[in-house]
Amino acid sequence: MNAPQRFVLRAHYVEQGRLAMLSHLEVARTLERTIRRAGLPFAVSQGFSPHMKIAFGAALPVGVGSTCETFDVQLTRYVPADEALCALQRASVPDLMVTSCAYLDPGAKAASVAFPLSTYEVRLSHAVPRLTAPAQVKVVRKRKERVLEVADFLVGDVRPVDRRGDGGHEVWRFTLRAREQGSLRPDVLLAAMLDQACADGEGAAGELQVVSTTRVAQAAAE
């Protein structure tokens, strides 16, 4: 007997404005309601606690926006991707808007592991001539302190996006790799880089601040 065909729809969406302040769980619940309002025939798990068969990409820290978030939802029947997109967009709000849809090929990686590389763009309160990543950062998780080697996560250099005639830059970009043993949060790295910039004389402590941080690209491992 042949296995039933699976229809897994991958959707990309933005998370911006005030909705960037939502937690990952709040975003997940909101998108589940969006799918319900869109009228898509979503599949439901079996067991004592049935739930929508949906998977999300890597979680964003609260306060970090994105132009390239992802979720996969399994449907019980085929719905043309363009029709699904229109239905989702009608049910979405502008700051959590679905931007594209496509069906996954059999064997494709789930959204949670498909894109280990994340590129972030950060806007600072004022321009600085350089922004340098430290060799190590300390993180505290579940009351335990760990020291992370930045080189294990940072891909390439921290680089400026806009260039000014005076040599200063207020928008910077960097790429982080998620690893099986863990990840380095962009806000943690940014805090360490701002501390380093102040120590280098690029601004007084507390004067140089992050205005916004946005995930602008996700990619598979090279």
Side-chain angles (χ1 to χ4, degrees), residues 15-17 20-21 62-66 120-126 131 170-174 186-187 190 194 208-216:
E15 184 179 338
Q16 57 192 14
M21 300 305 297
V62 174
V64 177
S66 178
Y120 299 90
E121 201 168 275
V122 55
R123 181 174 296 277
L124 302 178
S125 55
H126 61 267
L131 198 59
E170 64 180 28
V171 180
W172 295 78
R173 183 175 291 189
F174 59 90
D187 52 335
L190 279 169
L194 263 60
L208 182 60
Q209 298 179 351
V210 175
V211 175
S212 65
T213 307
T214 305
R215 179 150 59 188
V216 295

Side-chain angles (χ1 to χ4, degrees), residues 18-33:
R18 295 177 62 187
L19 297 192
M21 300 305 297
L22 295 178
S23 69
H24 182 67
L25 181 58
E26 290 171 324
V27 170
R29 289 173 175 170
T30 300
L31 289 171
E32 287 184 10
R33 290 196 293 268

Side-chain angles (χ1 to χ4, degrees), residues 97-135:
M97 179 61 66
V98 177
T99 57
S100 66
C101 289
Y103 282 96
L104 293 185
D105 295 327
K109 292 183 178 180
S112 56
V113 296
F115 308 112
L117 301 180
S118 293
T119 299
Y120 299 90
E121 201 168 275
V122 55
R123 181 174 296 277
L124 302 178
S125 55
H126 61 267
V128 294
R130 61 183 177 274
L131 198 59
T132 305

